[in-house]
Amino acid sequence: DQQVKQNSPSLSVQEGRISILNCDYTNSMFDYFLWYKKYPAEGPTFLISISSIKDKNEDGRFTVFLNKSAKHLSLHIVPSQPGDSAVYFCAASVETSGSRLTFGEGTQLTVNP
Amino acid sequence: ETGVTQSPTHLIKTRGQQVTLRCSSQSGHNTVSWYQQALGQGPQFIFQYYREEENGRGNFPPRFSGLQFPNYSSELNVNALELDDSALYLCASSYDRRNSPLHFGNGTRLTVT
């Protein structure tokens, strides 16, 4: 039972354009959502998060949108840079579950110069 | 500030053997969790430790066990290794407060032959 799904295994965009990565979830108990990025041979690095009481959170070039009714969240990166090329994981948690995150399968983002 | 460190980086074991993976938490973090990442998949939660006790477990059999030490370092032990245990094992540490982001190590790549 895949509770967090990232349906696009890969995404390719041009430098300077917007990258939009999508994520869907099925568990309505999830109340906190995160995005991590992962470079080869490194562990995932925390990028940005959003609580279920909000519908948008912004941090520099990164913005996460949450649509609770659709059980959908997205990560916008603008402008995209070649250094953003990495695997991006969407993750979700329930308040009482501590550090138990449920991850999606990941999306490989490639930003072309 | 010292990040999360894991050892060894790579390991090859034979089916049926036992393995111990080690993790040093980021300075000041008192909660540690372990994740298994199979090829092409997102990380899957194995278990979490707080104050040297397991306080959350994912869908993994009892042959996966762990320890957390007073200095918050941790071990993951896997007995009776199976071929499907081949994966990247990630350790993550965090503060014991709600929605504290996980900080991951670079992982241990385990290959079971």
Side-chain angles (χ1 to χ4, degrees), chain A residues 94-101, chain B residues 30-35 45-58 65-68 74 92 94-97 102:
Chain A
V94 177
E95 175 186 351
T96 55
S97 65
S99 60
R100 179 177 188 154
L101 297 182
Chain B
N30 57 9
T31 299
V32 66
S33 50
W34 286 88
Y35 286 78
F45 176 76
I46 302 175
F47 43 54
Q48 170 186 296
Y49 278 80
Y50 172 65
R51 292 186 174 178
E52 303 173 51
E53 291 200 3
E54 183 182 300
N55 74 340
R57 188 176 185 94
S65 63
L67 286 172
Q68 184 185 30
S74 176
S94 63
Y95 294 108
D96 174 39
R97 56 173 186 257
L102 300 186

Side-chain angles (χ1 to χ4, degrees), chain B:
Chain B
E1 186 178 77
T2 307
V4 178
T5 58
Q6 293 186 241
S7 63
T9 54
H10 294 84
L11 201 51
I12 299 175
K13 289 285 189 178
T14 303
R15 190 171 50 185
Q17 286 187 316
Q18 178 266 343
V19 68
T20 297
L21 310 181
R22 294 180 173 83
C23 172
S24 292
S25 299
Q26 181 165 317
S27 177
H29 287 179
N30 57 9
T31 299
V32 66
S33 50
W34 286 88
Y35 286 78
Q36 180 196 66
Q37 186 181 8
L39 203 60
Q41 301 294 317
Q44 280 202 304
F45 176 76
I46 302 175
F47 43 54
Q48 170 186 296
Y49 278 80
Y50 172 65
R51 292 186 174 178
E52 303 173 51
E53 291 200 3
E54 183 182 300
N55 74 340
R57 188 176 185 94
N59 189 25
F60 281 82
R63 58 189 186 84
F64 285 78
S65 63
L67 286 172
Q68 184 185 30
F69 300 100
N71 65 355
Y72 304 128
S73 65
S74 176
E75 286 182 356
L76 165 65
N77 299 290
V78 187
N79 293 321
L81 283 167
E82 300 177 359
L83 297 180
D84 284 349
D85 296 333
S86 295
L88 179 68
Y89 288 85
L90 294 162
C91 171
S93 68
S94 63
Y95 294 108
D96 174 39
R97 56 173 186 257
R98 186 185 172 193
N99 297 334
S100 172
L102 300 186
H103 295 254
F104 284 88
N106 290 338
T108 294
R109 172 72 62 187
L110 173 65
T111 302
V112 182
T113 61

Side-chain angles (χ1 to χ4, degrees), chain A residues 31-64:
Chain A
D31 60 359
Y32 193 64
F33 304 88
L34 310 91
W35 286 93
Y36 281 81
K37 75 176 181 181
K38 186 178 184 304
Y39 294 116
E42 294 184 11
T45 303
F46 170 72
L47 197 55
I48 192 170
S49 62
I50 187 167
S51 165
S52 60
I53 62 173
K54 294 186 174 183
D55 54 19
K56 176 183 174 181
N57 189 27
E58 194 170 351
D59 184 1
R61 297 185 297 114
F62 304 90
T63 303
V64 57

